[in-house]
């Protein structure tokens, strides 16, 4: 497997529905320092890793500075450069520092918002095969719709970092 550091267990956090951000009973996952990004082309390194593991529809950017979530698809965020403080799980969620080499995997409905970032902060986003990503802002109407769409989002067949035998597959299959 290209440029992946030791097979580590990710940090796993379950965020509760706060009435506006639905979140998901599946755990949000963070692999700390999982990808070797110091060899010159960090965005390509992460894109190759995600693509090898069946995740696509990739983009390069940062994380929006407003609270949002995706109710139709799960999302992987691979940090290629720099660092940022991101609140995951909505206003009642948790602030985490993510840095180059980290990968965050957000089950559909997980709120996220960038609170601060280094000037070189760069993220590669990717999605498992299926529905397209849609940005959803937290409103009562969107929350009601999301509660219907999130349970229909299929589980990915692979972990974007560790492939078909990765922790995501095991951790998410065992969740009701």
């Amino acid at each position: 497997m290209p440029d992946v550091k030791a097979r580590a267990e990710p940090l796993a956090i379950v965020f509760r529905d706060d009435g506006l951000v639905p979140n998901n009973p599946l755990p949000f996952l963070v692999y700390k320092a999982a990808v070797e990004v110091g060899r010159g082309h960090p965005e390509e390194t992460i894109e190759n890793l995600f693509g090898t593991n069946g995740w696509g529809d990739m983009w390069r950017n940062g994380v929006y500075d407003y609270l949002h979530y995706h109710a139709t698809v799960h999302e992987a965020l691979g940090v290629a450069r720099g660092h940022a403080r991101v609140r995951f799980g909505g206003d009642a969620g948790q602030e985490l520092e993510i840095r180059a080499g980290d990968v965050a995997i957000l089950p559909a409905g997980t709120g996220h918002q960038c609170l601060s970032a280094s000037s070189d902060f760069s993220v590669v986003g990717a999605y498992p095969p299926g529905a397209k990503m849609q940005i959803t802002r937290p409103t009562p109407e969107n929350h009601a719709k999301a509660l219907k769409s999130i349970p229909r989002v299929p589980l990915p067949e692979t972990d974007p970092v560790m492939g078909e035998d990765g922790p995501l597959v095991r951790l998410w299959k065992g969740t009701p």
Side-chain angles (χ1 to χ4, degrees), residues 133-173:
M133 184 273 290
Q134 297 173 355
I135 296 171
T136 304
R137 301 289 291 260
T139 67
E141 297 78 21
N142 287 342
H143 181 266
K145 290 178 193 172
L147 291 179
K148 294 177 183 165
S149 64
I150 291 169
R152 295 193 307 260
V153 177
L155 293 179
E157 293 183 16
T158 59
D159 181 309
V161 176
M162 300 290 187
E164 61 187 25
D165 296 324
L168 174 147
V169 177
R170 177 176 36 80
L171 292 169
W172 284 14
K173 280 189 178 172

Side-chain angles (χ1 to χ4, degrees), residues 76-152:
L77 301 174
V79 182
R81 301 172 195 266
H83 59 91
R85 186 143 202 87
V86 178
R87 183 183 304 122
F88 294 100
D91 290 337
Q94 188 171 337
E95 293 180 20
L96 295 174
E97 184 81 19
I98 55 174
R99 33 186 77 257
D102 294 352
V103 176
I105 307 169
L106 292 70
T110 302
H112 48 298
Q113 173 184 13
C114 185
L115 303 175
S116 63
S118 62
S119 60
D120 61 342
F121 182 58
S122 174
V123 170
V124 173
Y127 309 93
K132 298 294 181 203
M133 184 273 290
Q134 297 173 355
I135 296 171
T136 304
R137 301 289 291 260
T139 67
E141 297 78 21
N142 287 342
H143 181 266
K145 290 178 193 172
L147 291 179
K148 294 177 183 165
S149 64
I150 291 169
R152 295 193 307 260

Side-chain angles (χ1 to χ4, degrees), residues 16-106:
R16 295 185 186 278
D17 182 334
D18 69 7
L20 285 176
V21 176
N23 290 304
N24 198 307
L26 298 172
F28 160 78
L29 305 175
V30 180
Y31 287 98
K32 298 299 283 179
V35 184
E36 178 55 59
V37 292
R39 295 194 206 140
H41 302 285
E43 288 85 0
E44 288 177 19
T45 297
I46 293 171
E47 289 166 346
N48 289 337
L49 175 64
F50 288 170
T52 296
N53 290 318
W55 288 56
D57 259 351
M58 290 180 234
W59 52 265
R60 296 178 184 186
N61 199 349
V63 175
Y64 291 126
D65 63 359
Y66 58 86
L67 179 57
H68 66 286
Y69 59 90
H70 312 294
T72 58
V73 68
H74 309 297
E75 180 175 49
L77 301 174
V79 182
R81 301 172 195 266
H83 59 91
R85 186 143 202 87
V86 178
R87 183 183 304 122
F88 294 100
D91 290 337
Q94 188 171 337
E95 293 180 20
L96 295 174
E97 184 81 19
I98 55 174
R99 33 186 77 257
D102 294 352
V103 176
I105 307 169
L106 292 70

